Amino acid sequence: MKKLLLVIVLTTFITTTTQANRPQPQQSNSHDIKVTTYADGLNQPWGMTFLPDGRLLVTEKIGQLRIIDTTGQVSEPLQGVPAVNTQGQGGLLDVVLDPDFANNKTIYFSYATIEADDSQSRTAVAKAVLHDEAITKVKQIWQQAQTKKAGYHYGSRLVFDLTGHLFVTLGDRNYGKDEVQDLSTHFGKVVRIDTDGQPAADNPFLNKANALADIYSYGHRNIQGAFLHPKTGVLWGNEHGPRGGDEINTIQAGNNYGWPVITYGINYNGTPITDKTSMPGMQQPIHYWDPSIATSGMLIYTGKAFPNWHGDVFTGALKLMHLNRIKLNNNNQVVTEERLLKDQKQRIRAIEQGPDGHIYVATDSPDGAILKLSPAE
């Protein structure tokens, strides 16, 4: 009898312990999900992209590039990454694969530059050839025309369009309307370049006097999430407002998105920025948040693992620490909004859809991790 009781107690203990260690299902409005840690030990992961073999290429803000294998093992930092300016919001930022990566193994990454005057910096883009332990043939192909005091609003999401041109999102670097609305500066702009850094031949301001030929759109504050819509090929972006006024926009050639002439936000000290939320010739957002959630990372879901989320827009939240999901109707009007991963209490910096259709998010901290969202079993 004592042996039987011991077996029952041990079995109960093991079962209870196993259940406690097992990821617990979480409910959303349309799917039960489980959240697991896919990889950890990362220092402020900022950008990531899946390689064709299923491995994950990840940047760390401190200036390191790593590869995570399909079991979640994190590589040593890859050699060959150039030095970057890590003051404030600067660092090694986004990374994407060349459209012909299968043949040329070329990657592109954005970063904050180190200038002769180390108080100054700019957003720049380089390309390189990726190997398992290093990158080689590193070449800077583009940089902002003007420098600015290091630290704030670098933008820096990279997205290839359907014609093989590269979008680079740029923040306002804390400048005002004279610079952001001025087409002779790169502040608060999205640029569109070829793989050598030259302006795309059909850019909207190519032949406009006193305008930079690589500019695609302007009037942005700080786009830190961008994604090419899988059906339309249109660039979507989310951008930081100040105190209130974070936005989701569809970014079209030549459009002015209004910052800071129009905004749904106010200054951090509570004073008005402007009394206008709309003006002729300036675009309205598809959606805005007030209060701000501090947007970063973006995904329009197309996988099969979560069929009820197909076409939904996901945005990371830094300040409010969640993964935001929005379902839109055919007119791009918000039908539902949901906040996932609130219990994780982690700043969400980047979002990717894996080859398995699961969703992977990077948490923004010195002990950062990659979390994996899967269907609950």
Side-chain angles (χ1 to χ4, degrees), residues 14-24:
I14 292 169
T15 302
T16 303
T17 303
T18 302
Q19 289 175 345
N21 292 335
R22 184 179 299 154
Q24 299 300 304

Side-chain angles (χ1 to χ4, degrees), residues 125-145:
V125 178
K127 66 179 181 180
V129 175
L130 178 68
H131 305 276
D132 285 347
E133 297 178 352
I135 58 173
T136 61
K137 299 182 179 179
V138 178
K139 178 184 179 183
Q140 185 184 100
I141 62 168
W142 183 90
Q143 66 177 12
Q144 279 183 315

Side-chain angles (χ1 to χ4, degrees), residues 313-325:
V313 180
F314 289 82
T315 293
L318 296 167
K319 179 182 177 183
L320 294 194
M321 297 186 182
H322 67 270
L323 179 63
N324 196 277
R325 180 181 72 87

Side-chain angles (χ1 to χ4, degrees), residues 261-336:
V261 180
I262 61 172
T263 179
Y264 288 92
I266 59 176
N267 284 311
Y268 291 111
N269 64 7
T271 61
I273 295 170
T274 173
D275 62 352
K276 298 178 176 64
T277 56
S278 65
M279 281 191 70
M282 295 183 178
Q283 303 302 307
Q284 284 292 296
I286 284 177
H287 182 64
Y288 71 91
W289 289 274
D290 188 9
S292 294
I293 66 171
T295 57
S296 187
M298 193 173 198
L299 171 70
I300 299 175
Y301 185 73
T302 61
K304 296 180 180 179
F306 301 105
N308 295 330
W309 289 353
H310 205 269
D312 291 359
V313 180
F314 289 82
T315 293
L318 296 167
K319 179 182 177 183
L320 294 194
M321 297 186 182
H322 67 270
L323 179 63
N324 196 277
R325 180 181 72 87
I326 287 178
K327 184 173 289 294
L328 302 170
N329 63 20
N330 292 333
N331 295 318
N332 285 339
Q333 297 169 324
V334 176
V335 176
T336 59

